[in-house]
Amino acid sequence: MKKTRGIIPGFKLTMGFTLAYLSLIVLIPLASVILKSMGIGVDGFLDTVLNPRAVASYKVSFSCALTAALVNSIFGIILAWTLVKYDFPFKAFLDGCIDLPFALPTAVAGIALTTLYSENGWIGKCLYSLGIKSSFSTFGITVALIFTGMPFVIRTVQPILENLDPQYEEAATMLGANGFTTFRKVILPELMAPLLTGFSLAFARGIGEYGSVVFIAGNMPMKTEIAPLLIMAKLEQYDYEGATSIAVVMLGLSFLMLLLINVVQHHNNKMMRG
């Protein structure tokens, strides 16, 4: 029996191209970063990455990125639900604004957020009057990361809501379930996989974000200094080994966090199939 030939070339050719492309774009640059960081030796590497200033920058980066991703996960579902379930004026305009953080240069976003959330800014005035320091603080960093990570959650959840069969909701309502129970028992399980994907994307973006954060952070060492800024500072001092050492730590911690999220997602998918 003669085999039919597909449009895409065979497995060996496509896999070879995939590995070559991935190596040139991702694997080789990452390997060079790791090798460069080893140029200062193990003792120098540990002294650099365990420096109190570096450790403080890790805490700021990861805590703010995690908080922003959690906030985006909650409000991302609400925004996606509104866009899918309701019709209202300027809906298309609002839907287009969701992708604005993708198109807007991060430095421009950082300047705009700093202007709004500074002590004399339109929003900052109200927050400062309530005793909330919205600029040059971890609060401001989190706001910037929420802005840049917002589209990831919405755009991963929105297609699932659009394709979700309304008959499931109708059946739950006919069986006596209220709105919250229907959402928790019927809709939320369907959204868990895309929600975890959007959360991991927003979290990964937040860890490495620089342009939108550097202006509103204040960049105070041990307080509001993020790890990417510390890397840039070392590069400006021609301390390439120190910069790559911190980058390796950020890479390792990010990989572990994303691996954990993928394990949770795999477990959730397995439970859904079971």
Side-chain angles (χ1 to χ4, degrees):
M1 183 175 178
K2 186 177 180 181
K3 294 182 179 180
T4 58
R5 185 180 296 275
I7 298 176
I8 301 177
F11 172 76
K12 293 182 179 180
L13 179 60
T14 53
M15 179 56 71
F17 177 80
T18 300
L19 292 177
Y21 185 80
L22 188 64
S23 298
L24 290 172
I25 301 300
V26 179
L27 299 180
I28 293 177
L30 291 181
S32 65
V33 169
I34 296 174
L35 292 175
K36 187 68 176 179
S37 66
M38 293 295 102
I40 56 177
V42 177
D43 293 337
F45 177 84
L46 294 177
D47 289 340
T48 300
V49 300
L50 297 179
N51 182 277
R53 182 179 175 184
V55 174
S57 69
Y58 305 150
K59 292 180 180 179
V60 172
S61 293
F62 280 92
S63 61
C64 292
L66 182 61
T67 303
L70 289 173
V71 172
N72 278 324
S73 298
I74 297 172
F75 290 96
I77 293 180
I78 297 175
L79 288 172
W81 181 274
T82 303
L83 290 172
V84 172
K85 297 295 183 178
Y86 303 103
D87 290 322
F88 50 89
F90 306 107
K91 177 180 177 179
F93 174 77
L94 180 61
D95 190 40
C97 289
I98 299 297
D99 295 322
L100 190 61
F102 287 148
L104 192 67
T106 55
V108 176
I111 294 173
L113 290 172
T114 304
T115 303
L116 289 173
Y117 285 90
S118 64
E119 189 171 0
N120 297 320
W122 293 348
I123 301 176
K125 284 181 179 180
C126 300
L127 294 176
Y128 270 84
S129 65
L130 298 174
I132 301 174
K133 188 178 180 181
S134 56
S135 62
F136 312 134
S137 64
T138 53
F139 180 89
I141 297 174
T142 305
V143 169
L145 297 183
I146 290 173
F147 173 81
T148 57
M150 176 182 62
F152 292 100
V153 177
I154 297 175
R155 292 313 186 201
T156 53
V157 171
Q158 189 175 358
I160 306 302
L161 286 174
E162 290 174 346
N163 296 323
L164 191 63
D165 194 341
Q167 291 182 357
Y168 294 115
E169 300 176 50
E170 295 172 0
T173 303
M174 293 178 63
L175 291 174
N178 57 32
F180 179 74
T181 303
T182 301
F183 177 80
R184 183 168 58 90
K185 294 289 188 179
V186 178
I187 299 174
L188 188 59
E190 297 291 333
L191 297 179
M192 284 305 297
L195 182 60
L196 286 171
T197 300
F199 172 84
S200 61
L201 292 173
F203 177 71
R205 172 67 183 269
I207 291 174
E209 183 60 32
Y210 175 78
S212 63
V213 177
V214 66
F215 296 103
I216 199 172
N219 310 322
M220 293 178 287
M222 310 293 293
K223 292 183 179 180
T224 61
E225 186 178 46
I226 58 175
L229 178 65
L230 184 58
I231 293 173
M232 288 298 298
K234 288 188 174 295
L235 289 175
E236 291 175 354
Q237 298 169 5
Y238 302 101
D239 184 8
Y240 299 117
E241 290 82 4
T244 52
S245 297
I246 296 175
V248 167
V249 172
M250 294 292 293
L251 177 65
L253 293 174
S254 302
F255 178 79
L256 290 176
M257 291 293 294
L258 293 177
L259 179 63
L260 178 62
I261 294 171
N262 286 330
V263 170
V264 173
Q265 187 174 11
H266 175 74
H267 179 70
N268 180 72
N269 292 338
K270 189 175 180 180
M271 290 181 62
M272 290 292 294
R273 289 194 300 266

